[in-house]
Amino acid sequence: MEMNEKPHLLLIDGMALLFRSFFATSAMGHYFPNAEGVPTNGVQGFARHTMTAMSLFKPSHMAVCWDMGAHTFRNDLFDGYKANRPAPAPELVPQFDMTRNLSEMIGWKNYGIPGMEADDLIGSMVREWDGKSEITIVTGDKDLLQLLRPGVRIAFMKKGYAVYDFYTYDRFVEEYGITPKQFIDKKAFTGDSSDGYPGVKGIGPKTALKLIQEYGTVEGVIESLQELAPGVRKKIEVDMDMLFLSKKLAEIHCAIEMNDPIDELKIPVYDQVMRGLIEAEGYTMIVKQADSLFLK
């Protein structure tokens, strides 16, 4: 990296990659058990996905962010938060710790804080390094769109390990007609069925977008209630508490202190020693992938 060049920080949504890798192969009955008979399909897919992203995006620094258990501060705010999520498949359960351990063994910088979601860690990293670093986020989670700003792009996983749908600040504004920060207000109205909170009953994405384009924020809409069509106004009045709660649930918490020096996030070198460590764990597919990407 040239002295005057900004670092390029790659932020990996660890759980998103692990789940995606697990389901991509388990759907066909492939679990790649290790010598002890424990499935490794998620672990190996996660590492191969991450390594491919590293070779494609050529970051200078990297961090992997993890959810730490199901209970977060959002569950304290709302009992129903993510309550509709099914329990993870038994073949996936042992792979949570295995994946994190592998990630640490490889030397990638890992973050996980009990009570916080990976989104909150990623958001706090974005706040910490905004303007000081180019940032690429790899995820499958649309909630992260609210973090877009100049110098930050999101690579949404699409197909295999190498196909992504890229969102930049400009693309978002062009497509949605609001700012990424206002995406939080839009979600306050629509809720999020996958996260289990309802927003305002009867207000869909189109109406929500129109309201935010016109009045800017949830608070702006409330101040102008008298101007709204009676039907819309009534829906909002009935669900006012849930509207404000939904906004709290939708907003990524970006205030965690993430003040590790950038050198701690440097990407480790893949060499024969590292290769041996990964091979000793029985992760043959990772070794094969890493060899082809980094030992050309």
Side-chain angles (χ1 to χ4, degrees), residues 134-166:
E134 293 296 318
I135 298 172
T136 301
I137 301 167
V138 173
T139 186
D141 184 354
K142 289 276 191 279
D143 288 350
L144 293 169
L145 285 167
Q146 64 186 265
L147 298 177
L148 285 169
R149 53 198 78 184
V152 176
R153 65 174 177 165
I154 299 177
F156 287 109
M157 298 176 285
K158 292 297 280 181
K159 204 172 152 207
Y161 292 146
V163 182
Y164 289 94
D165 185 16
F166 292 100

Side-chain angles (χ1 to χ4, degrees), residues 89-103:
E91 295 87 354
L92 176 57
V93 172
Q95 298 191 65
F96 291 127
D97 286 344
M98 288 161 71
T99 307
R100 177 101 194 241
N101 292 341
L102 173 72
S103 187

Side-chain angles (χ1 to χ4, degrees), residues 17 38 47 59 73 151 181 187 190 232 241 245 249:
L17 266 70
V38 181
F73 74 94
K181 198 164 167 26
K187 276 195 71 174
T190 59
V232 175
D241 288 349
L245 180 55
L249 294 170

Side-chain angles (χ1 to χ4, degrees), residues 12-211:
I12 300 281
D13 181 346
M15 275 320 180
L17 266 70
L18 173 56
F19 272 94
R20 189 182 178 88
S21 302
F22 176 80
F23 289 115
T25 44
S26 66
M28 297 171 289
H30 299 318
Y31 293 103
F32 311 121
N34 61 15
E36 286 78 48
V38 181
T40 68
N41 60 322
V43 187
Q44 300 212 64
F46 158 81
R48 294 170 71 197
H49 214 135
T50 301
M51 286 171 168
T52 305
M54 287 161 62
S55 79
L56 284 174
F57 306 145
K58 307 206 171 359
S60 55
H61 298 77
M62 188 178 100
V64 186
C65 297
W66 298 98
D67 296 320
M68 300 291 283
H71 192 94
T72 71
F73 74 94
R74 292 179 180 86
N75 300 93
D76 298 331
L77 290 172
F78 180 54
D79 272 353
Y81 186 72
K82 291 193 177 178
N84 53 357
R85 297 271 171 108
E91 295 87 354
L92 176 57
V93 172
Q95 298 191 65
F96 291 127
D97 286 344
M98 288 161 71
T99 307
R100 177 101 194 241
N101 292 341
L102 173 72
S103 187
E104 284 171 358
M105 187 186 86
I106 292 173
W108 296 335
K109 184 74 178 172
N110 291 268
Y111 290 100
I113 297 178
M116 291 290 166
E117 292 182 43
D119 292 9
D120 302 312
L121 296 164
I122 292 169
S124 298
M125 296 284 284
V126 167
R127 195 210 57 190
E128 176 70 30
W129 295 107
D130 183 25
K132 297 176 253 180
S133 174
E134 293 296 318
I135 298 172
T136 301
I137 301 167
V138 173
T139 186
D141 184 354
K142 289 276 191 279
D143 288 350
L144 293 169
L145 285 167
Q146 64 186 265
L147 298 177
L148 285 169
R149 53 198 78 184
V152 176
R153 65 174 177 165
I154 299 177
F156 287 109
M157 298 176 285
K158 292 297 280 181
K159 204 172 152 207
Y161 292 146
V163 182
Y164 289 94
D165 185 16
F166 292 100
Y167 264 85
T168 59
Y169 180 89
D170 290 343
R171 178 184 170 188
F172 179 90
V173 173
E174 198 175 302
E175 277 185 24
Y176 284 83
I178 55 175
T179 67
K181 198 164 167 26
Q182 289 173 310
F183 189 63
I184 302 164
D185 296 86
K186 177 184 171 283
K187 276 195 71 174
F189 282 102
T190 59
D192 185 327
S193 56
S194 73
D195 284 345
Y197 60 92
V200 175
K201 230 179 243 93
I203 289 193
K206 271 190 186 144
T207 307
L209 200 56
K210 243 168 75 179
L211 288 169

Side-chain angles (χ1 to χ4, degrees), residues 73-74 77 184 243-252:
F73 74 94
R74 292 179 180 86
L77 290 172
I184 302 164
L243 173 62
F244 283 111
L245 180 55
S246 293
K247 180 165 176 174
K248 264 190 191 148
L249 294 170
E251 184 166 9
I252 290 173

Side-chain angles (χ1 to χ4, degrees), residues 218-237:
V218 164
E219 294 72 16
V221 173
I222 303 303
E223 278 166 28
S224 310
L225 269 183
Q226 298 317 311
E227 296 174 23
L228 305 182
V232 175
R233 184 170 76 222
K234 191 164 187 339
K235 285 171 187 164
I236 293 171
E237 283 169 347

